[in-house]
């Protein structure tokens, strides 16, 4: 089947009947002029070398060549090829419960939305695997057959809602059976069914169905979403679902049922809550599955067929030159020489960039991207305005970027690849091709988690091709991821500010503690100095007392020696010797006690002496 890449040029075929009409009018006018010369029979005999057929043949040859040239501009294509590729991966069927109970919001934002995010993250981790979607409530049907087209899987995933089901309920057994029939017949590939449900099975038979598929080599995992406490089911227009008695319906997670089904299917039960632990557990379980050869069909673009039309045009032009309008052979060799010259000129005038592009395309199909890149670079060097060569070069650079994700110069490589796609887009006249260039730019930025420029690229792609659903999905996804990234960055900034404030507060507390310690040390030093001064004053007072006592004793002794008779009979106002000795002993004992107290105070530096003034 022939298709045209640029069918808009086919409108130029309207020139053909206009040219034919002009020639028809010119021939009729010529015939009328010949009739004015005389008898037509006599005129034909006089013009025996003039042919009436050859000019018409030459005209139709030129007209046909013109039509073929217009068709070449429309780029005819034919022969879409599909090739199969063998990869090592698994096959996974996701059976998602979409009953009304999945609208409960005990898991944010809701059980159903959380399930979609979980499946989307799981698909993002798939590389060489296949995935399929099955939805169930009271009925069961296949939302997406098993495929390696992860983009389509995400698109179908976003369209899932309880409104798709005419019959409500939860028939897990039928979901398991239909999921088991959706796998390929390959027995070497690891197969798994991932059931996402709240466990409210209304039909029964789920455990038996899980045992049956386990015997076929299919592992059944159950992801229970919700809480044991439960939550009401919101309804459209506000409020919550009620039963026949008017009571609000509370839906709860039935973990016992989920665990029983997982055990029967040889898999594992994973509880899904508001954390990311379920995703980590799911990745670990997927890694344990046996990876076998997965056959993936890849469809290439249509093959260009303008070369065949070009050859026909050249042949028609050569025939038009060879055929003479007059009868005779006098100019035959001259026309043959002209024909040979045109053929050689056409052969020598073949653009080398097209040759390099064809060689690069062959290498690209063979996944030899380094050779393809080299040929595309040669094509660009030969013709810098060739939009096809620039676009193909950018695609090969993108393949190098995908193959070498650990490159230290990844940022520079990303910038050069994006620049190559922008140059190709600027040269493209076809809006579809331009949209493809910007779509690839958006994909590169998205893979690098640069969501803001990715959004701009996807918007530009949609401006050129508004019907691209894949770009529209990626645009919505990037907008969502950008919002999450900004929120995460804001949270990180808040946390950093909080940590900085805490650090400043700790530093202030530490400085305050150091200041308090210095003040305590200074107070202690001042107190020690005061205590030492007090001790010195006490010692001085004691020495003065002792000195006064000694002087008193010396004075009494002198008096006793001068008046022995008076000393024999002491008067009432005089102190006897025994009393003086008693006073002296008492003073020595007081001084001794004072010295002990001072020494005890010196051994206990923390004790503060009581001031006696």
């Amino acid at each position: 089947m022939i298709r045209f890449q640029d069918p808009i040029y086919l409108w130029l075929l309207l020139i053909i009947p206009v040219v034919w009409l002009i020639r028809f009018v010119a021939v009729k006018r010529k015939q009328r002029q010949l009739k004015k010369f005389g008898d037509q029979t006599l005129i034909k005999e006089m013009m025996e070398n003039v042919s009436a057929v050859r000019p018409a043949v030459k005209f139709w040859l030129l007209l046909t060549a013109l039509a073929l040239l217009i068709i070449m501009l429309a780029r005819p294509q034919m022969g879409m090829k599909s090739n199969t590729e063998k990869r090592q991966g698994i096959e996974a069927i996701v059976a998602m419960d979409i009953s009304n109970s999945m609208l409960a919001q005990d898991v944010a934002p809701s059980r159903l939305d959380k399930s979609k995010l979980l499946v989307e993250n799981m698909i993002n981790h798939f590389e060489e695997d296949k995935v399929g979607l099955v939805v169930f409530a009271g009925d069961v049907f296949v939302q997406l057959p098993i495929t390696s087209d992860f983009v389509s899987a995400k698109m179908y995933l976003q369209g899932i809602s309880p409104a798709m089901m005419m019959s409500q309920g939860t028939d897990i057994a039928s979901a398991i059976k239909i999921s088991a029939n959706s796998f390929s017949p390959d027995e070497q590939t690891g197969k798994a069914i991932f059931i996402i449900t709240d466990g409210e099975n209304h039909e029964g038979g789920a455990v038996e169905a899980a045992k049956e598929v386990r015997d076929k080599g299919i592992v059944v995992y159950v992801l229970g979403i919700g809480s044991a406490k439960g939550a009401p089911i919101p309804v459209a227009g506000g409020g919550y679902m009620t039963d026949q008695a008017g009571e609000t319906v509370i839906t709860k997670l039935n973990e016992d049922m989920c665990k029983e089904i997982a055990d029967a299917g040889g898999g594992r039960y994973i509880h899904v809550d508001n954390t990311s632990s379920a995703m980590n557990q799911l990745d670990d379980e997927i890694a344990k599955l046996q990876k076998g050869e997965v056959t993936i069909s890849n469809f290439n673009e249509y093959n260009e067929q303008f070369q065949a039309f070009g050859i026909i045009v050249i042949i028609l032009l050569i025939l038009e030159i060879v055929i003479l309008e007059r009868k005779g052979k006098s100019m035959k060799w001259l026309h043959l020489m002209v024909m040979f010259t045109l053929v050689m000129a056409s052969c020598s005038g073949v653009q080398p960039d097209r040759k390099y592009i064809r060689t690069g395309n062959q290498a690209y199909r063979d996944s030899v991207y380094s050779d393809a890149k080299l040929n595309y670079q040669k094509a660009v060097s030969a013709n810098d305005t060739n939009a096809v060569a620039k676009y193909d070069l950018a695609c090969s650079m993108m393949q190098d970027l995908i193959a070498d994700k650990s490159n230290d110069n990844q940022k520079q490589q990303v910038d050069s690849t994006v620049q190559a796609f922008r140059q190709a887009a600027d040269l493209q006249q076809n809006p579809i091709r331009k949209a493809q260039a910007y779509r690839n730019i958006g994909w590169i930025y998205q893979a690098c988690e640069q969501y803001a420029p990715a959004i701009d690229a996807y918007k530009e792609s949609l401006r050129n091709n508004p019907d691209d659903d894949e770009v529209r999905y990626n645009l919505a996804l990037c907008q969502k991821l950008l919002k999450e990234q900004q929120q995460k960055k804001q949270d990180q900034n808040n946390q950093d500010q909080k940590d900085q404030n805490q650090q400043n507060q700790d530093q202030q507390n530490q400085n305050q503690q150091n200041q308090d310690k210095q003040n305590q040390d200074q107070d202690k030093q001042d107190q020690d100095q005061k205590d030492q001064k007090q001790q010195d004053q006490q010692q001085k007072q004691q020495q003065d007392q002792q000195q006064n006592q000694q002087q008193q004793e010396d004075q009494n002794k002198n008096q006793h020696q001068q008046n022995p008779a008076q000393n024999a009979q002491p008067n009432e106002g005089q102190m006897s010797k025994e009393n003086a000795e008693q006073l002296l002993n008492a003073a020595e004992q007081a001084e001794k006690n004072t010295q002990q107290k001072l020494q005890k105070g010196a051994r206990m530096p923390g004790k503060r002496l009581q001031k006696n003034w």
Side-chain angles (χ1 to χ4, degrees):
M1 179 179 178
I2 297 179
R3 65 183 295 272
F4 295 94
Q5 180 65 31
D6 301 324
I8 191 172
Y9 291 107
L10 294 178
W11 289 100
L12 294 176
L13 291 175
L14 296 176
I15 299 175
I16 303 299
V18 175
V19 174
W20 175 83
L21 182 61
I22 293 174
R23 184 184 183 278
F24 178 79
V25 173
V27 170
K28 292 297 182 181
R29 182 180 179 184
K30 184 178 180 180
Q31 290 177 355
R32 288 195 301 267
Q33 291 176 350
L34 288 175
K35 290 180 179 180
K36 295 179 181 180
F37 283 99
D39 184 56
Q40 296 296 316
T41 303
L42 182 59
I43 292 175
K44 288 181 180 180
E45 290 179 357
M46 295 174 62
M47 302 170 59
E48 59 180 5
N49 293 330
V50 177
S51 174
V53 177
R54 292 186 179 188
V57 173
K58 290 171 65 69
F59 170 77
W60 285 109
L61 289 175
L62 288 175
L63 197 62
T64 304
L66 178 60
L68 292 177
L69 285 173
I70 295 174
I71 293 175
M72 287 178 60
L73 289 176
R75 293 183 58 190
Q77 297 175 343
M78 185 177 63
M80 183 177 180
K81 295 182 180 179
S82 63
N83 58 343
T84 58
E85 183 179 355
K86 299 291 186 179
R87 296 182 180 178
Q88 293 291 326
I90 64 170
E91 294 183 358
I93 298 293
V94 178
M96 184 179 296
D97 185 357
I98 58 172
S99 58
N100 288 328
S101 60
M102 294 293 288
L103 297 176
Q105 299 176 352
D106 50 354
V107 177
S110 68
R111 294 179 183 179
L112 182 59
D113 292 335
K114 181 69 174 181
S115 301
K116 291 181 181 181
L117 292 175
L118 187 67
V119 176
E120 184 176 335
N121 290 330
M122 181 175 67
I123 294 175
N124 289 335
H125 286 79
F126 285 164
E127 294 181 357
E128 299 180 350
D129 310 298
K130 287 185 175 182
V131 65
L133 294 177
V134 173
V135 294
F136 66 93
D139 298 326
V140 183
F141 65 87
V142 178
Q143 175 75 356
L144 176 68
I146 192 164
T147 179
S148 59
D149 186 0
F150 301 142
V151 175
S152 298
K154 293 179 182 179
M155 291 177 58
Y156 280 98
L157 179 65
Q158 296 303 319
I160 294 177
S161 68
M164 300 170 60
M165 291 295 179
M166 299 296 296
S167 175
Q168 286 297 318
T170 307
D171 191 358
I172 299 179
S174 299
I176 294 175
K177 294 177 182 179
I178 292 180
S179 299
N181 295 329
S182 301
F183 290 104
S184 65
D186 186 7
E187 298 180 356
Q188 302 298 326
T189 305
K191 299 178 175 64
I193 300 175
F194 297 91
I195 303 175
I196 304 178
T197 181
D198 52 18
E200 292 186 342
N201 188 19
H202 297 160
E203 304 298 333
V207 176
E208 292 75 10
K211 291 180 180 179
E212 292 179 2
V213 300
R214 180 182 182 181
D215 296 336
K216 299 178 182 179
I218 301 173
V219 184
V220 179
Y221 294 92
V222 180
L223 285 76
I225 185 167
S227 62
K229 183 180 179 180
I233 303 174
V235 295
Y240 298 99
M241 184 178 295
T242 57
D243 55 14
Q244 296 179 354
E247 299 292 334
T248 301
V249 177
I250 303 297
T251 173
K252 301 179 181 180
L253 171 63
N254 189 353
E255 283 194 304
D256 295 336
M257 172 64 70
C258 295
K259 292 179 181 179
E260 189 175 357
I261 296 174
D263 293 338
R268 179 182 174 185
Y269 168 72
I270 300 175
H271 180 220
V272 182
D273 51 18
N274 289 317
T275 65
S276 60
S277 60
M279 190 65 230
N280 298 330
Q281 298 179 30
L282 187 60
D283 291 339
D284 295 337
E285 294 300 324
I286 292 175
K288 297 177 183 178
L289 295 174
Q290 177 184 358
K291 294 183 179 294
E293 284 192 354
V294 178
T295 302
I296 299 176
S297 297
N298 296 325
F299 292 90
N300 299 329
E301 293 184 354
Y302 285 89
N303 294 326
E304 299 284 351
Q305 302 296 332
F306 67 90
Q307 300 91 341
F309 289 89
I311 294 174
I312 297 175
V313 169
I314 293 175
I315 294 175
L316 293 176
L317 292 177
I318 292 174
L319 291 176
E320 195 275 337
I321 294 173
V322 171
I323 298 175
L324 303 177
E325 291 187 358
R326 295 180 178 273
K327 300 177 181 179
K329 301 181 179 180
S330 58
M331 302 294 291
K332 180 179 180 180
W333 291 106
L334 178 60
H335 284 79
L336 289 176
M337 290 178 62
V338 172
M339 179 187 68
F340 179 77
T341 303
L342 290 175
V343 172
M344 294 302 297
S346 62
C347 293
S348 61
V350 175
Q351 296 180 355
D353 54 339
R354 295 186 179 275
K355 177 181 178 182
Y356 290 131
I357 291 175
R358 287 194 295 269
T359 307
N361 290 340
Q362 183 61 41
Y364 194 94
R365 284 191 290 268
D366 296 338
S367 300
V368 186
Y369 301 116
S370 59
D371 294 345
K373 180 180 178 181
L374 180 60
N375 283 280
Y376 293 145
Q377 288 175 343
K378 292 180 180 179
V380 172
S381 300
N383 185 5
D384 189 56
T385 60
N386 192 329
V388 176
K390 283 187 174 292
Y391 179 81
D392 293 341
L393 175 61
C395 290
S396 62
M397 295 172 66
M398 185 175 66
Q399 292 296 335
D400 289 341
L401 186 64
I402 295 173
D404 191 7
K405 296 182 179 179
S406 61
N407 189 3
D408 296 335
N409 298 324
Q410 185 180 19
K411 184 178 183 303
Q412 182 178 0
Q413 192 173 0
V414 167
D415 294 339
S416 59
T417 305
V418 169
Q419 183 64 24
F421 274 118
R422 291 190 186 278
Q423 293 177 357
D426 293 339
L427 293 174
Q428 285 289 347
Q429 300 297 328
N430 186 0
I432 303 298
R433 286 286 187 177
K434 184 177 292 188
Q436 291 175 350
Y438 281 106
R439 180 188 63 186
N440 291 335
I441 293 174
W443 184 89
I444 293 173
Y445 280 131
Q446 181 180 352
C448 297
E449 297 183 357
Q450 300 179 22
Y451 301 119
I455 291 173
D456 295 337
Y458 285 140
K459 288 182 178 179
E460 186 64 28
S461 178
L462 287 175
R463 276 192 283 269
N464 290 276
N465 184 16
D467 298 330
D468 196 331
D469 294 333
E470 179 183 348
V471 173
R472 186 173 291 103
Y473 170 80
N474 289 336
L475 174 60
L477 178 61
C478 286
Q479 290 174 341
K480 175 184 176 183
L481 295 176
L482 177 62
K483 185 177 180 181
E484 294 177 355
Q485 188 182 59
Q486 292 175 347
Q487 183 64 34
K488 185 177 179 181
K489 185 177 180 180
Q490 182 66 27
D491 295 342
Q492 183 65 31
N493 292 336
N494 294 337
Q495 183 65 29
D496 293 342
Q497 185 66 29
K498 184 178 179 181
D499 295 340
Q500 184 66 29
N501 295 336
Q502 183 65 30
Q503 185 177 0
N504 295 336
Q505 184 66 29
D506 295 341
Q507 185 66 29
Q508 291 178 359
N509 294 336
Q510 184 66 27
N511 295 336
Q512 185 65 30
Q513 291 177 359
N514 294 335
Q515 185 67 28
D516 294 341
K517 185 176 181 181
Q518 291 178 0
N519 294 335
Q520 291 177 0
D521 294 340
Q522 184 65 31
D523 294 341
K524 181 180 178 182
Q525 186 176 2
D526 296 341
Q527 185 64 34
D528 292 341
Q529 291 178 357
K530 291 180 181 179
D531 294 341
Q532 184 65 32
K533 185 176 180 180
Q534 180 182 2
Q535 183 178 356
D536 294 339
Q537 290 178 355
Q538 290 179 356
Q539 289 179 356
K540 185 177 180 181
Q541 290 177 359
Q542 291 176 0
Q543 290 177 1
D544 294 340
Q545 291 177 1
Q546 291 177 1
Q547 187 176 1
N548 293 333
Q549 290 178 0
Q550 185 67 30
Q551 291 177 359
Q552 185 68 30
E553 289 176 0
D554 292 341
Q555 185 178 2
N556 293 335
K557 186 176 180 180
N558 292 332
Q559 291 179 358
H560 181 70
Q561 290 177 358
Q562 293 178 1
N563 302 313
Q566 294 179 359
N567 294 333
Q569 296 293 331
N571 296 329
E572 294 179 358
Q574 296 180 350
M575 183 181 295
S576 64
K577 181 178 181 180
E578 291 80 3
N579 293 335
E581 290 178 353
Q582 291 178 358
L583 290 174
L584 180 61
N585 292 332
E588 291 178 353
Q589 184 65 32
E591 180 180 4
K592 185 177 181 180
N593 294 335
T594 302
Q595 293 293 335
Q596 290 178 354
K597 290 181 179 180
L598 292 175
Q599 292 176 0
K600 184 177 180 181
R603 289 193 301 268
M604 300 176 62
K607 184 176 180 180
R608 300 175 63 91
L609 298 177
Q610 185 177 2
K611 298 180 181 179
N612 56 1
W613 68 84

